[in-house]
Structure formats: C-alpha cells, structure tokens
Amino acid sequence: MNGQRVLVTGGGGFIGSNLANALAADNEVIALDDGYLGTIENVDDDVEYVERSVLEDDLPTDVDVVFHLAALSSYAMHEDDPTRGARVNVEGFVNVVEQAREDGCDTVVYASTSSIYGDRTEPSPEDMDVAVNTGYEASKLARERYAEYFHNHYGMSMAGMRFFSVYQGMEDGAEEHKGEYANLIAQFADDIASGDNPVIWGDGSQTRDFTHVDDIVRGLELAADHELTGIYNLGTGEQYSFNHLVDVLNEKLGTSVDPVYEDNPIPEDVYVHDTRADCSKMYEATGWEPRISFDDGVEMVCSQYD
C-alpha cells in the first residue's frame, strides 16, 4: 500500500498497532482505539491516534481502506458479559463498516478467528464445516455473515482473516501492558526470563499454530492491496505443543525453569486443544506465505532479554 488514507480500529492494541506503524511509512494512518486493550504508547508519532469506541457515531471512516481489528478478544471477556461482547464485536463491526460505506470506502479487511475450526491436527481449510462453542466464536462468525451481506448487497470488498495464535515479544511489541491477555509466547518468555514458572492449563500437550505478528501484518496489507473478499487463513501450517514451547524458551534463554500445571478453567468441551492452518488459499490469491519460522520467531522474542 502506498499513498492511501487508512483507518485501523483497535489500532492501539497488539496487532493493530503493529499494522498501523508499518503502514504509516507510506500511508496516512488513523489508529482508533477505546483504550481498553490498547494504548497510545504503542503507536508511532506519525500515526494519528483517536481514542473513540467503535460503537460511536461520526467515526473517521472517510478513508480508502478500513482494517477492522477492534474486538473483545478472549473467552473470559465474552462469558463475563455476553451482551457487551456482542455489542463490541458485532454491532461495532457493523457500525464501522456502515459508516465507511456511507463515506465512500469500499475496501474492508477484518479480524475473524481460527477458533471456530475446533480441534485440528490436520491443516484447516477455509471451506470446512465450522461450529460455534463460545460467545467469542459466535461474534466472529457473525462478522463473517455480515461481511457477506455488505459484499453481496453493496459490492464492498470484505476480507475476513482467520488468525492463528499471533505472537511477539512482551517488550519489543505492544503486549507489555496487557498482562494476562498478552500472547502466550510473550507471557511464557517473560516468566521464564524472570525466573518465574510459566502456568500451563492442562498437561501441556495442546498445540498451536504460532504465527509471528510481522507475517500477519504482511497478510493484512496484501488482502487490502488485492481487494480480497471472503475468508482467508493466516498461519504457518505447523503446530507446537505448550510443553515444547517451554523447552525451546529455556534453551534459548539459557534457563531451566519448569512449568506449573493447573486445571483448565475453560470447559473441556469448548476448549480448542489443537490448531493448524491451511494457508494455500491466501497463497494462491496473493503469494503470501509466512517468512518467520517458529524457531526464528522464538529467538526474536528471547533476544530482548540478552
């Protein structure tokens, strides 16, 4: 992207601020955030920061592209208050997209989730059957259905990106202020580097497709450049267990800190035990593929503690 006027909702958060800062080199970028999970401290000086809610009127949607990343992004947030979760994740999405449409913007790239695939040790293609077991998953699937509406009824380009376990370091990214809501690799690395035992829910055999935020940012930008419509995975196609993650972190940090295992507070019948992406659709559409391997990514996270 070059010379575009861009709105990033959730622009003070983890993924949003990384995207806003990257795009600001060649574009006019507005980062909108309500300050709940994001902060102005995460964005560079050349990004315009607006502290507003996605539920408000008269948002700065007179732009060429909207990246809608604002969301309540955890299981607990939705179970504590399902109505608020739906308002922010669904009503907020519709509100932003409708205002953008009225302002003449017809390109939207938005965050969905890979959680709706459920447990998968085989790669998950976008066209497989999905199910909803949590309020968080329901809100993201609702976004996808409303995106269909905006595309089919108004001809807008609506690209829904299903992220897989996005990570970056605690101090080299935008996660330090989030505490328990920071990404798992950042939390575990920070604990181990500090000599604290990382807490694993369950037995640590669960796996994730850990994807570095820099690869996610490239994927989001390419989705906008190609004016994609539909659903696309952003992941690596590989999966690693939590136990293996702790071993690798100890190796790279030169430590020997054991994890502590605790009962999983999320019910077993809704907890997603394994994730793994099939990203062939995104590759065929844009040429995107992950550049940062798990080993290199963990090395990048650990390097901040040298």
Side-chain angles (χ1 to χ4, degrees):
M1 295 180 62
N2 190 288
Q4 302 288 294
R5 179 173 164 84
V6 177
L7 172 65
V8 181
T9 70
F14 168 36
I15 300 174
S17 63
N18 274 278
L19 176 64
N21 293 338
L23 292 177
D26 301 304
N27 302 275
E28 179 185 352
V29 180
I30 305 166
L32 184 144
D33 204 290
D34 67 359
Y36 177 56
L37 293 175
T39 172
I40 191 173
E41 296 174 359
N42 288 336
V43 300
D44 294 341
D45 292 340
D46 51 356
V47 174
E48 179 184 351
Y49 186 83
V50 176
E51 188 162 333
R52 301 278 301 281
S53 167
V54 293
L55 295 167
E56 295 179 26
D57 296 328
D58 300 318
L59 296 175
T61 50
D62 54 334
V63 296
D64 300 302
V65 178
V66 170
F67 293 94
H68 187 77
L69 306 183
L72 295 184
S73 56
S74 79
Y75 168 82
M77 292 176 189
H78 287 263
E79 298 313 304
D80 288 345
D81 192 342
T83 301
R84 181 169 182 253
R87 287 204 69 209
V88 173
N89 284 17
V90 184
E91 184 182 341
F93 173 76
V94 175
N95 185 49
V96 169
V97 176
E98 176 62 10
Q99 289 188 47
R101 184 187 70 80
E102 291 178 344
D103 283 336
C105 174
D106 60 5
T107 302
V108 176
V109 180
Y110 66 94
S112 184
T113 180
S114 61
S115 296
I116 57 177
Y117 291 126
D119 290 329
R120 295 281 295 180
T121 54
E122 295 297 319
S124 303
E126 292 88 346
D127 59 359
M128 68 171 281
D129 292 336
V130 297
V132 165
N133 293 311
T134 69
Y136 170 68
E137 294 165 3
S139 71
K140 290 303 186 77
L141 189 58
R143 284 186 175 188
E144 295 182 4
R145 294 296 176 257
Y146 269 104
E148 286 184 29
Y149 155 66
F150 280 108
H151 172 69
N152 292 336
H153 195 73
Y154 295 110
M156 298 178 69
S157 298
M158 303 289 302
M161 316 307 290
R162 292 178 177 168
F163 302 149
F164 285 74
S165 298
V166 188
Y167 73 93
Q168 189 181 37
M170 190 73 79
E171 295 181 8
D172 60 358
E175 291 282 75
E176 189 170 9
H177 72 289
K178 288 175 64 176
E180 65 179 306
Y181 295 120
N183 72 82
L184 191 69
I185 291 182
Q187 287 191 56
F188 281 11
D190 206 56
D191 286 341
I192 293 171
S194 302
D196 298 325
N197 304 97
V199 176
I200 293 179
W201 294 346
D203 63 4
S205 65
Q206 63 265 59
T207 62
R208 292 291 180 268
D209 185 332
F210 295 109
T211 310
H212 195 275
V213 71
D214 288 356
D215 284 327
I216 296 293
V217 165
R218 283 193 306 106
L220 290 167
E221 183 174 0
L222 283 169
D225 283 339
H226 287 77
E227 298 182 345
L228 297 183
T229 285
I231 305 301
Y232 297 84
N233 289 334
L234 290 181
T236 68
E238 300 177 349
Q239 57 191 170
Y240 298 92
S241 74
F242 290 8
N243 286 329
H244 179 70
L245 170 60
V246 171
D247 289 342
V248 173
L249 287 169
N250 272 308
E251 177 186 345
K252 294 189 179 298
L253 290 168
T255 53
S256 56
V257 180
D258 293 328
V260 172
Y261 298 94
E262 295 185 356
D263 291 340
N264 192 340
I266 301 176
E268 187 64 29
D269 58 347
V270 302
Y271 182 69
V272 176
H273 195 277
D274 304 287
T275 66
R276 187 179 178 191
D278 177 345
C279 294
S280 56
K281 181 179 178 182
M282 186 64 180
Y283 176 77
E284 292 168 3
T286 68
W288 178 91
E289 55 187 348
R291 293 176 179 170
I292 300 175
S293 68
F294 173 76
D295 191 70
D296 288 345
V298 175
E299 178 69 40
M300 292 165 66
V301 170
C302 292
S303 65
Q304 71 185 54
Y305 301 103
D306 293 343

